Amino acid sequence: MEFALSEDQRLLQSSLQGTLENVSPLETVRRFAAGEQDVAKAIDTALAELGLGQLLVPEAHGGLGLGALDAALVQEALGFAVSPAAFLAGAMASEAIGQAGSTAQKYKWLPMLADGSVKIAVALTETVSMREGAGLIEDGGKLTGKALFALETNSASHVLTADITGKLYLVDLAEKSAKLSPLETIDQTRTYAELTLDKTPAEPHADEAKRGEALARTLGLGRILLAADTLGACQNMLEKAVTYAAERQQFGRVIGSFQAVKHMCAEMAAKLEPCRSLVWHAAYIFDTEPEKAALMACLAKSHISEVGTFIARTSTEVHGGMGFTDLVGLHYWFKRIGTNRQWLGSPEQLRAEAASLQGWA
Amino acid sequence: MDLALSPEYEAFRAEIAALLKANADKAPANSDRGLKHPKRLAWQKFLIEHGLTARTIPTEYGGYGASPDILQSRIIAEEFAKSGLPRGLAGQGISMLVPTLLELGTDEQKAQWIAPTLAGETVWCQGYSEPGAGSDLASLKTRAEIDGDDYVINGQKIWTSTAKQADMIFCLVRTEPDAKKHHGISYLIFSMDTPGIEVRPLVDMTGSANFNEVFFTDVRVPRSQIVGEPGKGWQVANATLTHERGMLGDPNAAEARLLAIADLMQTETLNGAPLMDNPVLRDRLIRLQAEVYAMQANGLRVMTARLKKESAGMAGLLIKLQGCQLNHELARLAIDALGEIGVLYGETPYLKDNGSWQWRYMYDLGLIIGGGTAQIQKNIIAERGLGLPREPRLAKQQGG
């Protein structure tokens, strides 16, 4: 019985954090946000050298065969750095293909995911939230319709999506009838797009029997990773607030010695630390107790989203007027947390889902 | 990360579960009131003999004498929770005085006090807080002056639970009034039958007297009844205060309450439909469920740190603040779910769960304040956990 990270996991954390400090500093994030999306390529290359693309791919298919907790640690580091690096969509695609792909599909796609020769975006919003008439309809092996808020589209060659019955597909973005048009959100550290398909050929995941489970697992992993991303972003906002409160002087003393400010920092820390345990636990459960995984993912993401909203606001307030400026750049974290909160299920949606998973609704 | 228990521990769990099941008839009922009810003392004796309480206290002091094993302790706690049977006694004598004596008491003190305390025959109360010394406990003023072989104690304590029932008190008193405030305090133990002690019940918002005021007028206590050295009482007491904070935020208790509320919401109805059908109440329930699981996972992390003899850091510091707050919120949800029925209290028709939710809602607010207020907890988290500076002292300010 041990609830702690392994030596390897701590090594992964520190090498990743070191790499991101070098290749994905705030300056680079700012350039990405200003539209220079090519800056993400250098980050993706550096992360590929650390083996991140291989992380969740089974060893038999050229990957490292690691688990959801390892993936969560990666995403936590990316959230800490508000990095535009691609990771989440590829991880979800590995899970989807591993769950519901045929043997042939696994041999085809997983090695390419591992070595980076395909980059997969993810467009699964409508499996959780159907709005604005979006949703893809399958007819004769071809998909038609639109899917909103496709993520990590900037460097993608393919997209993982689902039709309105929840069946998963891979679509080659080189198809002429597949269109991606950008959606501008508050979060400019990542790209979002509307995917439009018109009788576009799509490769369905072969295993019909596992359709529901494959989607649930894929969403579950996505939610855990979004929770981890918010965890990392919150940790950074907390650290920034504490550093600022210990330096900034007013009325002849550092503001962190005033209880009004000190208690804001304490509240952030006291709320955040149990979230770290919750997210790690949810990731661990994802691999060890599949029957509880969906529930734990809902609880982890909904809870850290609430705490994230509190920390995003409170850290900004601790920074006073400077927190409101672009100069300090705190808003990149604020907005990333705000976007994670809604994507793949808002807290209210996730709690409703958690209730029905337990037979309470 | 590996949350599975080894086969040895699984076997231990099965053994404990079987033991509890086979002996459930020995347990006292709720109606067997009184700290020294014969059935309660017999149950305590049974629990000690089988290592289900006082497990790691040496046999020479009346304990079971097992070597400390955090996982075994946890398994025992979980099996008690599952069985619904009452756990071993955990009054302030057992949870606070016994660890203090084991660490700092003389051989005579250990031999005299630990065994009867564990057996439940000697009940203790704690004399720490005073009307003028709450969060600033070290400013306490109850004084003990040396007169021959005795200390003569004058002053007042407050928030003393079980003072009426207690045989003995462990008490902080000021023995060196000229020393700096943390250095002039001593830790004395003496009988509550000593002449000059008056106990007045302090009725609180729950309607009961869960606490008392204790007045000392020329109370004579032999100088040998000090624990630790004169003037070192603050350090003696601090070892056990840490213990109290850990005790006040038990995540397993929170889970039991959450499940009880889920049951309540499935069985009770509003306008003909189960309370659980109300999406707003359901949303609040799940919100608290996530927090309960977060605190449980946090508890596992703290336990792992203890197993490795490492500091749990922030994960440990937050337990009292977050745990007490969570329990209070759970009670609030139960009351809101019951609505008008939720305000029933006392002995009245339609009462649910014996009115325990209102009682908890009030009593848990007391726990948020007691044992280091929420605001003091935040100071501790910010100063020890985050390294933020202390509030500058007013006295050191220059000029006017």
Side-chain angles (χ1 to χ4, degrees), chain A residues 1-4 253-254 257 259 262-263 266-267 270 273-274 277 281 284 299 303 306 351 358 360-361, chain B residues 1-4 71 276 282-283 289 291 293 298 301 304 308 318 322 375 378-379 382-383 389 391:
Chain A
M1 151 71 223
E2 177 166 344
F3 192 102
R253 48 195 263 214
V254 296
S257 69
Q259 289 193 349
K262 180 188 288 187
H263 286 188
E267 283 167 15
E273 203 57 34
S277 311
H281 191 240
Y284 171 79
L299 294 177
H303 182 50
E306 304 290 11
R351 288 193 291 263
Q358 296 176 91
W360 290 345
Chain B
M1 196 83 137
D2 179 7
L3 302 187
L71 284 177
M276 193 64 97
R282 208 163 57 215
D283 184 79
Q289 183 181 34
E291 278 194 64
Y293 285 0
N298 188 71
R301 246 172 96 202
T304 298
K308 293 181 173 178
L318 61 83
Q322 295 300 104
Q375 290 67 37
K378 288 177 194 173
N379 283 351
E383 289 162 15
E391 190 102 348

Side-chain angles (χ1 to χ4, degrees), chain A residues 146-190:
Chain A
K146 61 182 181 177
L148 299 176
F149 300 102
L151 185 73
E152 292 183 4
T153 51
N154 48 301
S155 55
S157 58
H158 293 73
V159 60
L160 170 72
T161 190
D163 66 22
I164 54 169
T165 70
K167 185 172 183 172
L168 293 161
Y169 298 84
L170 281 171
V171 175
D172 188 343
L173 288 167
E175 292 287 346
K176 277 198 174 138
S177 55
K179 288 196 185 68
L180 280 173
S181 32
L183 289 173
E184 198 173 330
T185 72
I186 51 168
D187 173 27
Q188 294 181 312
T189 68
R190 293 172 297 196

Side-chain angles (χ1 to χ4, degrees), chain A residues 312-341:
Chain A
R313 174 196 162 150
T314 308
S315 172
T316 305
E317 282 188 76
V318 167
H319 284 79
M322 292 310 290
F324 188 62
T325 65
D326 178 56
L327 198 67
V328 175
L330 212 58
H331 64 93
Y332 288 109
W333 283 266
F334 183 104
K335 292 166 184 170
R336 182 132 162 168
I337 291 168
T339 309
N340 286 347
R341 181 181 166 99

Side-chain angles (χ1 to χ4, degrees), chain A residues 11-33:
Chain A
L11 205 66
L12 171 70
Q13 271 186 318
S14 63
S15 63
L16 188 54
Q17 192 159 357
T19 303
L20 286 170
E21 279 166 19
N22 284 326
V23 301
S24 187
L26 185 56
E27 285 320 300
T28 307
V29 176
R30 284 185 189 278
R31 286 171 61 193
F32 184 89

Side-chain angles (χ1 to χ4, degrees), chain B residues 349-385:
Chain B
Y350 309 114
L351 203 59
K352 304 300 170 193
D353 298 330
N354 294 317
S356 62
W357 295 112
Q358 276 294 352
W359 188 84
R360 285 245 73 99
Y361 184 65
M362 291 187 264
Y363 193 75
D364 285 347
L365 178 56
L367 292 182
I368 288 173
I369 298 167
T373 64
Q375 290 67 37
I376 291 289
Q377 298 304 321
K378 288 177 194 173
N379 283 351
I380 292 171
I381 290 166
E383 289 162 15
R384 292 190 209 159

